[in-house]
Every structure is written in C-alpha cells, then in structure tokens.
Amino acid sequence: MEIFTPSRQESPVDFEPFFSTVHLAWLIENGYLAEVLTLGHLPFQSGEDPEAIIHDLKYWGVLDDNLEITKEASHLFSGLTGFDERWWGTLILTNERQPLSVDLPEDMMGIAESISDTPKVYWMVSRVDNDLVLILRAGYNISISRYVNRTEYSDVAKAILSIINPNNEWNPARFDPIRVPTAAVSKVTKFRLSEDPELSQMVLDMVRKNLTSYHMNPKVIKNFVDFYSADNLAMTTISHSTSLTNISDKACAVSFIYNVGMVTTYESIGSDGNSWTVVEPTDTHSLAPVLKLVKESQHREFMDPV
C-alpha cells in the first residue's frame, strides 16, 4: 500500500475513487486517529453513509474484516499523528486566485473586493522510524505514500520537492544567493505589493532606503528589490515540529517566481551574531541544509518569509 488512490475502474463496486477528507473525518470520529491540525479544515462529521465509507476503507486495505486498522495502514497513518518528526506547509497557488462574489452593503464593498478564493494544497513529510511518509491534500482528496529507509535531509528535501513540484516543471532560479540584514527588510516586507502602482512603488522605495542605510552593495539592493517585486505565482512555507502540539512559527519559504524559477527564503545567523535574510535558488542540494537549519532553530522566532 503506497498511496490511497485506486481508480474507480479497479473497484468491483461503486466505491469512491480517492481517499478523502470524508474518510479521514470518519476515522477521527471513530477513534482510529487523533485530530489532524495541519491539513486544513476538515468536516466536523463525515456526513456520508458509514457503510459506504467502511466499504471504501476495507477495499483499500485500511480496515480488515474485523474493522481493525491494518498494520500497513497504521504505519502510514503514523505520518499524520504518530510521527517522530515532520516538515509541513501549505502551498498557496496565488496565480489561481479568484475573486469571490459576495453580497454586502455599499459601505462594505472594500471588504468585498478584498475577499478571494486562493487554492491551497496542504502537505506533510513525516519521519516514522526509518521511513518518510508523504501526505498531500488537494481539495477533498488525500494521498499518502512512503519512502522506505530514507531519512537524511537530502531525502526530506527530495520528498518535499516531489510534492510541491511534482512534474519538475520548475527549475531552480539562476542567480547567486542574496544576503541582506533581516532588520532592514523584515518590517517592510510584511507589506505585500498590491495592484496599486503608487503603493507598490512606495514599498519598494522603503526597501531600497532601508538597505542603503545598511551600506549594502547597490547590486545586492537591486537584486533583492527585483526578487521582491517579481510575480510570485505560488509559495509554500516549511515548518518543522516533533509532535502534534509542538508547532513552530514559519521558518522558511519556497516561492515559484515567474520567469525566474524556484527560490528559497530563510533567516540565518551570521558570524557577527546578526540575523540575515537569505534568498537562493531551490534544489535538493541547497534545500537540505536549510531544512537542517529549520529543525535546529525551530524554537527561535523567525521572520515571515517574503
């Protein structure tokens, strides 16, 4: 059992084609699993015929004939609730953002215009003993798979990239890493560039001014501003935790920049003891040490990734 995605054609009866939030909610309701907090909102109740859900779970090998969870399924589900450690995040597909039509009074139209439906993909990579368990939720569908005997940071990096860049459609960005003082950009970069050209220019001018005050090289300033002002089509944060309740703040981010490529943003403490914001191309080789930094620094406060 590697992944809960059998096709409907393989089923002898009319089962659901995918393991979904409905099945997960039923397992939680009936005490098979603890509540999962990092896969987005789940239905309070499964809301479907329990017999149909049980049929699906038995067909997939999740439950046996005695309605006990099978050994292999239990190992996979440990990636959700019984892991030794995990890396997790939410991939936000900003390029697919769609305004929602809402009926609000005229004095609240500003709020109406700001409401949007941005698709999100929730993911986790958990270490269970000597295996990595990969969990992905897209919409209502959930897939769970396993990498056997792969627990190095490079394995974790490869697993994360296989989730967020599954078809290798995106390449690493091609530029030298950018390092700027976190104190110079952390407050300013909390402001997201808007569709208002004047407001966006004001924010970019603030970034330039702050970096100039730290006597940064003009080329570094230009490169950082170019990165910050580029069209970010999607972005995921990456956090680390060792239990369901030990949830750290956002520690780093991978962004998909139009006409640039994949970029990792994170915070690092320099030899001078000061905090630096680092922007660098994303691949397995470069992401692995960042994940190590995330794990070792999870109890420190990190900046919001840009």
Side-chain angles (χ1 to χ4, degrees):
M1 182 193 305
E2 281 302 309
I3 197 163
F4 294 129
T5 54
S7 69
R8 185 174 294 275
Q9 288 74 21
E10 294 173 345
S11 174
V13 294
D14 192 24
F15 291 107
E16 286 296 318
F18 297 105
F19 183 80
S20 71
T21 55
V22 170
H23 300 91
L24 182 59
W26 186 90
L27 289 168
I28 294 172
E29 288 172 27
N30 290 276
Y32 290 97
L33 296 175
E35 185 177 0
V36 181
L37 301 178
T38 52
L39 286 181
H41 171 75
L42 296 176
F44 291 109
Q45 295 180 334
S46 55
E48 292 196 9
D49 181 6
E51 290 189 7
I53 294 175
I54 291 172
H55 277 301
D56 291 340
L57 296 175
K58 289 173 69 175
Y59 175 72
W60 293 328
V62 177
L63 298 180
D64 61 23
D65 290 338
N66 296 318
L67 299 188
E68 298 290 337
I69 196 164
T70 63
K71 182 179 179 179
E72 192 167 5
S74 179
H75 184 75
L76 286 176
F77 282 127
S78 291
L80 284 169
T81 59
F83 48 81
D84 298 301
E85 61 180 334
R86 66 173 173 176
W87 287 262
W88 54 277
T90 303
L91 179 63
I92 303 173
L93 306 176
T94 52
N95 193 48
E96 298 181 21
R97 178 179 183 267
Q98 296 292 332
L100 294 179
S101 177
V102 292
D103 186 14
L104 292 175
E106 289 187 8
D107 60 348
M108 298 181 67
M109 286 309 296
I111 296 176
E113 292 174 358
S114 68
I115 296 175
S116 68
D117 182 11
T118 303
K120 299 177 178 65
V121 175
Y122 303 91
W123 62 268
M124 293 171 55
V125 173
S126 304
R127 181 174 65 82
V128 180
D129 298 328
N130 294 320
D131 299 339
L132 292 179
V133 178
L134 285 61
I135 300 106
L136 171 68
R137 175 192 171 184
Y140 295 105
N141 297 330
I142 299 173
S143 65
I144 306 177
S145 57
R146 179 173 60 186
Y147 279 3
V148 179
N149 294 324
R150 298 180 184 177
T151 59
E152 300 295 327
Y153 287 108
S154 58
D155 297 322
V156 178
K158 183 177 179 180
I160 291 174
L161 292 178
S162 75
I163 292 175
I164 65 176
N165 187 32
N167 299 316
N168 295 317
E169 294 179 359
W170 286 79
N171 295 315
R174 300 180 65 180
F175 58 76
D176 293 331
I178 304 168
R179 297 176 74 252
V180 296
T182 299
V185 298
S186 60
K187 292 183 179 180
V188 176
T189 53
K190 289 182 185 294
F191 295 97
R192 302 302 181 191
L193 298 184
S194 71
E195 296 179 358
D196 183 337
E198 292 186 5
L199 180 59
S200 295
Q201 189 59 52
M202 181 181 70
V203 174
L204 293 176
D205 288 343
M206 290 173 61
V207 173
R208 292 189 186 93
K209 180 179 178 181
N210 286 1
L211 290 176
T212 300
S213 70
Y214 277 80
H215 308 291
M216 298 301 297
N217 184 294
K219 182 179 179 180
V220 172
I221 296 175
K222 179 182 183 302
N223 289 345
F224 184 83
V225 170
D226 287 347
F227 157 73
Y228 180 60
S229 60
D231 191 3
N232 189 348
L233 302 185
M235 186 270 286
T236 183
T237 54
I238 301 176
S239 297
H240 177 270
S241 58
T242 54
S243 70
L244 287 174
T245 56
N246 178 20
I247 299 177
S248 62
D249 291 335
K250 291 179 291 186
C252 69
V254 173
S255 300
F256 296 79
I257 309 297
Y258 180 68
N259 276 346
V260 175
M262 292 190 299
V263 176
T264 303
T265 310
Y266 62 97
E267 179 185 340
S268 177
I269 302 300
S271 58
D272 57 1
N274 293 321
S275 176
W276 292 78
T277 294
V278 183
V279 183
E280 65 183 20
T282 305
D283 58 20
T284 300
H285 177 74
S286 64
L287 185 58
V290 176
L291 297 177
K292 184 175 186 290
L293 176 65
V294 168
K295 177 179 177 178
E296 294 176 346
S297 307
Q298 72 178 91
H299 298 297
R300 289 196 300 108
E301 182 179 356
F302 276 77
M303 61 166 279
D304 283 334
V306 298

